């Protein structure tokens, strides 16, 4: 780390040193979650396994954005998992938001 | 290090939390009216909630040397029933006259429905009428982007509310630019399973600067962390941000926004540079 500034001063090396082990573990969490879903039976679409779940489909597409060579991965993943319609709903769908829209999300432009 | 947590639901927190916040340097909190984790059975239930917000909680906070101010409204989650929402809104004018109420909040959208939007705009009209600050909640998860856009559209229909007196909270990487570009204040909420965490909040500061940004915990009845604001300070320091830069984001910025109410005061807090 260099000298203190109003905008921070972390070098690439310092950033990797500081966060690598934590994010290695988070990546393994994602892998283990997908493995766990593979082993699980049933599924909302009546398919074997949980692959048909719209949330898992969105997650797999988001994983693809992690290494597509483009910047602003966080913003683009959030957009991929967003309702991109623009008119207010006539009534509440009930319940809480679940993390991805129920209609298949389209991939926003990079 | 002195800091302000400008958005936290202390009615749901313990006195141990107040103690821990005091020890971490918290000098002031502001508490928006919100959903309590369950739907109230009648508008009258809100009358008691508003007493808790404006009388009980300030006294509890004072025992720990923390200034407490409140915001009042009917939250968007309970605004789907228009009759119910308007009955609660009828209580608001007399509350807005209280000296420890900073304005209308946290209003906004939950699932982005027409009724939520109608009540949101009625609150904006109320804020215009009473010339108060506005604190806005943006929806969760997949609803946030659309909700933020609908909120920005609605604000354009209320030009008497100048952007410098409106804060749009719970921004993330996909909404922060639209809020700041339109001239509004943006709130970054540090919340364990949704919204931001300290490292991502500091990423946003490094990308956008800290002007018109504040940080809060939105600690409430759910899985949340009332010490997330000082954790953000620790993250900034570890990444080489100066102590002055931390104080600007966690103390000066919220103070500048909140003091526009003419009612926000923190006894004993010095005002460096002013
Ligand atoms: Zn809140």
């Amino acid at each position: 780390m260099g000298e203190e500034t109003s905008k921070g001063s972390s070098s690439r090396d310092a950033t990797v040193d500081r966060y690598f082990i934590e994010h290695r573990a988070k990546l393994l969490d994602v892998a283990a979650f997908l493995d766990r879903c593979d082993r699980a039976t049933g599924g909302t679409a009546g398919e074997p396994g949980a692959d048909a779940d719209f949330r898992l489909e969105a997650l797999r597409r988001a994983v693809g954005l992690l290494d597509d060579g483009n910047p602003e991965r966080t913003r683009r993943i959030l957009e991929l998992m967003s309702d991109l319609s623009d008119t207010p709903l006539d009534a509440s769908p009930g319940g809480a938001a679940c993390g991805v829209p129920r209609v298949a999300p389209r991939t926003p432009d990079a | 290090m002195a800091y302000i947590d400008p958005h936290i639901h202390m009615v749901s927190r313990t006195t141990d939390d107040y103690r821990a916040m005091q020890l971490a340097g918290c000098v002031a909190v502001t508490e928006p009216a919100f959903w309590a984790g369950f739907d109230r059975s009648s508008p009258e239930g809100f009358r008691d909630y508003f007493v808790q917000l404006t009388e009980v909680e300030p006294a509890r906070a004072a025992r720990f040397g923390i200034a407490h101010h409140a915001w009042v409204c009917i939250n968007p989650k309970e605004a789907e029933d228009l009759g119910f929402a308007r009955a609660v809104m009828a209580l608001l004018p007399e509350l807005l006259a209280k000296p420890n109420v900073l304005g209308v909040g946290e209003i906004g959208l939950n699932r982005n429905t027409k009724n939520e939007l109608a009540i949101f705009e009625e609150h904006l009209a109320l804020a215009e009428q009473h010339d108060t600050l506005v604190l806005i909640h943006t929806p969760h998860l997949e609803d946030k982007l659309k909700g933020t856009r609908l909120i920005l559209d609605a604000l354009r229909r209320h030009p008497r509310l100048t952007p410098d007196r409106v804060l749009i909270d719970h921004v993330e990487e996909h909404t922060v630019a639209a809020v700041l570009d339109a001239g509004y204040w943006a709130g970054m909420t540090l919340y364990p399973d949704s919204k931001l965490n300290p490292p991502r909040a500091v990423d946003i500061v490094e990308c956008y600067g800290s002007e018109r940004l504040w940080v809060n915990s939105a600690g409430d009845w759910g899985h949340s962390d009332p010490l997330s604001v000082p954790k953000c300070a620790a993250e900034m320091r570890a990444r080489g941000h100066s102590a002055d830069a931390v104080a600007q984001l966690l103390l000066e910025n919220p103070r500048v926004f909140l003091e526009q109410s003419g009612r926000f005061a923190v006894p004993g807090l010095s005002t460096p540079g002013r």
Side-chain angles (χ1 to χ4, degrees), chain B residues 7 34 76 106-110 112 135-141 143-145 147-149 151-152 167-172 175 179 187 189 195:
Chain B
H7 182 154
F34 201 58
E106 57 183 304
I107 56 173
L109 299 174
N110 176 46
N112 299 327
L135 176 54
I136 297 176
H137 162 99
T138 52
H140 303 292
L141 301 168
D143 295 325
K144 182 178 299 293
L145 182 63
T148 302
R149 288 170 174 167
I151 284 165
L152 289 169
L167 185 134
I168 299 178
D169 215 336
H170 317 320
V171 299
E172 291 181 60
T175 57
V179 170
T189 298
K195 309 185 178 82

Side-chain angles (χ1 to χ4, degrees), chain B residues 172-234:
Chain B
E172 291 181 60
E173 289 85 347
H174 58 330
T175 57
V176 62
V179 170
L180 292 176
D181 288 350
Y184 297 98
W185 281 74
M188 300 191 292
T189 298
L190 311 175
Y191 208 76
D193 295 326
S194 62
K195 309 185 178 82
L196 295 170
N197 57 23
R200 284 171 57 202
V202 180
D203 291 339
I204 287 178
V205 170
E206 289 175 356
C207 292
Y208 294 90
S210 64
E211 195 182 341
R212 281 182 287 114
L213 270 180
W214 82 17
V215 178
N216 61 73
S217 70
D220 58 11
W221 48 268
H223 179 209
S224 49
D225 179 1
L227 293 182
S228 60
V229 175
K231 287 174 185 172
C232 185

